[in-house]
Amino acid sequence: MVLPKSILVPIAALSYCSSFVAAYVFTGHTTDARQFAISKSEPLLYEHDGTTWYKTSTRPVGDLGDWINLEKALAFQYLLDNIAPNGVNTEGCAAGTVIASPSKDHPNYFYQWIRDAGITVQGVIDEYAKSEDLELRDIIDRYADLQGEIQGTFNPSGGFSTGGLGEPKFMVNGAPFAGSWARPQRDGPALRALTLMSFIRVVNQTHPELVTLQWISRLYNPDLAAKSIVKSDLEYVSHHWDAIGFDLWEEIQDSHFFTALVQHKALVQGRDLALSLGDHGAASWYDDQQVALRDFIKTGFWDGRNGRLKAYKHTPHRTGLDCSIMLGSIHGGQNDLYAPWSEEVLASTQLFINQMQNLYPINKKKPPYYPEDERLRGVGIGRYAEDIYDGVRTSEGNPWFLCTSSVSNVFYTAITHFIDEGEFRITRINRPFFNRLHPSGRAGLGRVSSGDPDFRNYLQAMFTYADSFLNVIRYHAKADGRLSEQFDRYDGFQRGAHDLTWSYGSFLMAVDKRQTARGMLFGSEY
C-alpha cells in the first residue's frame, strides 16, 4: 500500500543535497534574497591580471581528470568487492556486511565497523540516486536488514536498550566481537541513521510507489516496541550524546568533534522525519536535544586562542588538530554549523595541512604530472601529528588516503557553496587559508563578491589546490588503482590494510564534489 498523501508529501519535502531543509522546520539561516548574477548553468566569467595571479592557478590539468575518470570506475568496483553477498572479498559474510578491508592479518580488518559501513553505504546510495540501479538498491536493503539484526544482538557494550547500539564492530557473520576493544563508540548509530534517512529520501524521489507503510516502518516506526532501525538509533543518540566514548580512531576516550557533529545532524534530520510521520512527541524531544548539543559543540570545540577547531574536548597531550575535524565537517557539517565552507573549518584545515607538510619526509618530494604553484601543492595528510600507528604496529604514523582526499572534499564543497552564494568573506579567522591562495600571500579582509575579478581568481586557485591533493593520491595509488589504508612517510609505498573500503569511499565522495565544482567554475570547456 502506498503511503497516504498526508504522509508521502512531507517525506518528499525531505529531499536535499548537502543540508537538510524540512517542510516543517528550517534550522539554517534564512535564504539570501540577493540574486546571484551569474547563471549556474554557465561557468563564471574569467578576469585575470597576470601580474597578480599566476597562470598555473587558473586551469585544471587535463590528464589529472583523465586519471580520476579511470580511478573512479575502479574504486567503485573495489568498494563493491567489499560488500556481501556479491563482493568477491566477502566469502563467509552475512548479506549486507561491509568489510573494512579483505586483510585478515598484519593487520586484521576483516570485520564490519558500524561507522565505516554507514559511510560506505551512503556512497552507494549517492550512486543509486544517480543511476537508479536496482542492484545497488538491493545492496542497501540487505545492509538495512543486517543492521536491524545487529541492533538486537547482545554484545560487550550491552543489549538493545542497555547500550549495545554503541558497539563499534561486529564479526562478518553478524555475531558480536567478544574481544577487548575501544568501546563504546557513539558515532555509529548517528551515521547509520543518517544513511538510512538518506535512503528514505532517495527511494521516495526515484520510486515513491515503493514507500509503503510496511517498508518505511522497518526503518522508522513511532512505536518504540517495533525496534525500527532509524528510530532506535535516534533514541540512542538523543539519550547518549552527552556521554563520553572513543573517537573514530579508537584511541581516545573523550567528547569528540566528529561524533558530536554527526550526532547533531542525525537529530536535526530525525526531528524532521519524525514530524513528517506524525511522531510529534519524538520530534519535540529530538529538537530539544539538538539545541542542547549544538550549544555544546559551539562552546566545546573552538580554540579561539589558536584560531582553530580541536578534535577532542579534554585531551591535553595532543594538539587537537586532527583529520577527524575535516571528516566531521564532511559528514556532519550543516549550513550554520561547521560546514566545509565555514571560516573555522577552512582555517583549521589549512593549519592542519601546514602541520602535515613538515611532518612526513615524503611530502618534501613534488609528485610528477601536476605543475601547480608551490604554494598550491598538496601533500599527504595523516590522522594527527602524534600518530604512531604504522598500519601494523606502533612506530611512526603515515599519511592516509582517506584523509588526503578529505582535504579535496572540503575545498570542492566550499567552492560550490561560494558560487551558489555569489560571495565569500575573508575574515581574521580564515585569512590564513586565503593567504595560501593569494600569490602574494596577503589576502585582504572583507567581502569578495561575484562581480569582483578576485572572486574567480580565488576560486580557481582553490580548485587547483584541491586537485593537488588528489594528485598526491594519484602518485601513490597502485597501477591498477588499488588503495590501501596508508602510504609510507619516507618512500610513499602503500602500507596498512590493503583495499581499505573507506579509502575508496572517501576518494569517490571527493571526486563527486569535484565534478560539481568543476562544472560551476569552468563549465563544459574543460
Side-chain angles (χ1 to χ4, degrees):
M1 179 176 69
V2 177
L3 282 175
K5 191 172 183 179
S6 61
I7 296 179
L8 185 60
V9 172
I11 293 176
L14 300 183
S15 173
Y16 77 108
C17 291
S18 62
S19 61
F20 186 78
V21 183
Y24 299 93
V25 182
F26 180 67
T27 58
H29 52 267
T30 56
T31 303
D32 194 334
R34 178 186 63 253
Q35 293 297 310
F36 183 41
I38 300 173
S39 169
K40 296 178 186 179
S41 64
E42 300 175 358
L44 291 176
L45 297 174
Y46 174 63
E47 296 185 52
H48 172 76
D49 179 355
T51 64
T52 305
W53 293 87
Y54 300 145
K55 194 167 183 179
T56 52
S57 302
T58 65
R59 295 290 185 270
V61 173
D63 62 345
L64 176 64
D66 293 340
W67 175 81
I68 286 172
N69 289 334
L70 291 172
E71 179 65 18
K72 184 177 180 180
L74 291 169
F76 190 63
Q77 184 56 58
Y78 294 151
L79 181 146
L80 294 180
D81 286 346
N82 289 349
I83 304 177
N86 299 320
V88 299
N89 297 323
T90 62
E91 183 178 356
C93 297
T97 295
V98 181
I99 60 171
S101 161
S103 179
K104 296 182 180 179
D105 55 61
H106 298 96
N108 183 3
Y109 279 23
F110 198 63
Y111 299 98
Q112 174 169 241
W113 271 264
I114 301 301
R115 169 184 50 257
D116 298 35
I119 290 173
T120 298
V121 174
Q122 179 59 62
V124 178
I125 293 171
D126 293 342
E127 184 62 30
Y128 166 65
K130 292 181 287 187
S131 68
E132 298 187 28
D133 185 332
L134 296 182
E135 291 185 7
L136 297 182
R137 195 177 74 210
D138 182 63
I139 288 172
I140 304 160
D141 272 322
R142 288 171 181 259
Y143 161 79
D145 289 339
L146 180 62
Q147 295 309 302
E149 296 175 13
I150 283 176
Q151 282 182 330
T153 302
F154 188 85
N155 57 66
S157 291
F160 176 81
S161 59
T162 57
L165 271 63
E167 182 68 7
K169 76 173 185 178
F170 287 79
M171 306 296 288
V172 297
N173 63 359
F177 173 76
S180 176
W181 206 251
R183 54 170 67 92
Q185 294 174 32
R186 304 188 190 278
D187 54 356
L191 289 162
R192 180 166 54 199
L194 286 167
T195 292
L196 292 177
M197 286 189 285
S198 173
F199 188 40
I200 293 171
R201 289 190 297 273
V202 169
V203 173
N204 193 64
Q205 293 164 7
T206 58
H207 296 93
E209 71 279 5
L210 299 178
V211 186
T212 62
L213 286 171
Q214 180 181 6
W215 184 85
I216 203 166
S217 292
R218 173 188 63 153
L219 300 174
Y220 190 101
N221 190 324
D223 184 357
L224 285 173
K227 297 184 177 180
S228 55
I229 306 167
V230 173
K231 173 76 169 180
S232 299
D233 280 337
L234 292 172
E235 289 297 309
Y236 179 90
V237 171
S238 65
H239 286 91
H240 293 88
W241 64 261
D242 56 350
I244 64 172
F246 281 90
D247 65 321
L248 75 169
W249 309 132
E250 309 189 302
E251 296 171 351
I252 298 294
Q253 194 168 28
D254 198 344
S255 295
H256 308 286
F257 178 80
F258 174 86
T259 301
L261 216 54
V262 297
Q263 287 175 328
H264 184 268
K265 187 175 181 179
L267 289 172
V268 170
Q269 293 190 12
R271 173 203 62 197
D272 293 324
L273 178 60
L275 276 173
S276 71
L277 295 174
D279 193 6
H280 298 288
S284 178
W285 166 250
Y286 300 153
D287 191 48
D288 288 344
Q289 298 311 303
Q290 71 86 10
V291 169
L293 177 52
R294 177 189 172 84
D295 290 343
F296 175 78
I297 292 170
K298 294 292 285 187
T299 60
F301 296 102
W302 175 247
D303 180 357
R305 181 177 181 181
N306 293 300
R308 57 177 171 79
L309 291 161
K310 54 184 181 180
Y312 318 98
K313 200 168 188 301
H314 304 292
T315 305
H317 61 280
R318 291 190 182 176
T319 65
L321 282 172
D322 191 294
C323 174
S324 63
I325 294 171
M326 296 176 293
L327 292 170
S329 180
I330 289 167
H331 296 290
Q334 297 165 81
N335 273 341
D336 58 348
L337 188 64
Y338 297 135
W341 56 82
S342 67
E343 58 181 353
E344 299 92 345
V345 170
L346 289 176
S348 301
T349 300
Q350 185 56 57
L351 290 171
F352 189 50
I353 293 168
N354 296 346
Q355 193 179 67
M356 293 288 107
Q357 69 184 13
N358 296 318
L359 181 64
Y360 304 124
I362 189 64
N363 287 338
K364 305 296 182 185
K365 300 179 181 179
K366 185 174 182 178
Y369 318 122
Y370 196 74
E372 72 271 8
D373 299 329
E374 185 63 24
R375 66 189 167 86
L376 300 178
R377 183 165 72 84
V379 295
I381 303 295
R383 299 191 299 174
Y384 53 90
E386 301 85 356
D387 194 5
I388 60 172
Y389 176 58
D390 62 13
V392 178
R393 58 186 66 85
T394 55
S395 61
E396 293 180 304
N398 299 299
W400 284 45
F401 285 105
L402 74 90
C403 293
T404 305
S405 58
S406 292
V407 173
S408 297
N409 190 321
V410 167
F411 294 160
Y412 295 134
T413 304
I415 290 169
T416 298
H417 176 77
F418 292 151
I419 295 176
D420 275 335
E421 291 291 297
E423 69 170 28
F424 57 83
R425 292 183 182 275
I426 302 175
T427 69
R428 295 190 183 280
I429 290 175
N430 64 24
R431 191 177 188 176
F433 168 70
F434 284 100
N435 281 344
R436 186 67 171 257
L437 302 180
H438 197 280
S440 72
R442 296 188 298 273
L445 296 174
R447 176 175 177 262
V448 182
S449 67
S450 59
D452 185 332
D454 275 354
F455 183 75
R456 183 182 176 98
N457 290 334
Y458 272 117
L459 296 190
Q460 287 193 151
M462 194 187 307
F463 190 90
T464 298
Y465 198 23
D467 266 6
S468 70
F469 290 89
L470 293 186
N471 193 59
V472 171
I473 293 176
R474 176 191 185 189
Y475 182 41
H476 298 290
K478 292 186 177 180
D480 59 359
R482 294 188 181 273
L483 304 175
S484 65
E485 178 183 66
Q486 310 173 26
F487 51 96
D488 191 273
R489 64 192 287 149
Y490 296 106
D491 59 28
F493 288 103
Q494 295 192 17
R495 297 186 62 115
H498 67 89
D499 292 293
L500 190 77
T501 311
W502 199 351
S503 292
Y504 295 127
S506 181
F507 170 80
L508 289 166
M509 180 177 285
V511 297
D512 279 348
K513 299 294 185 182
R514 180 185 191 269
Q515 182 176 0
T516 301
R518 180 177 178 269
M520 296 178 75
L521 189 55
F522 299 101
S524 59
E525 181 181 354
Y526 300 98

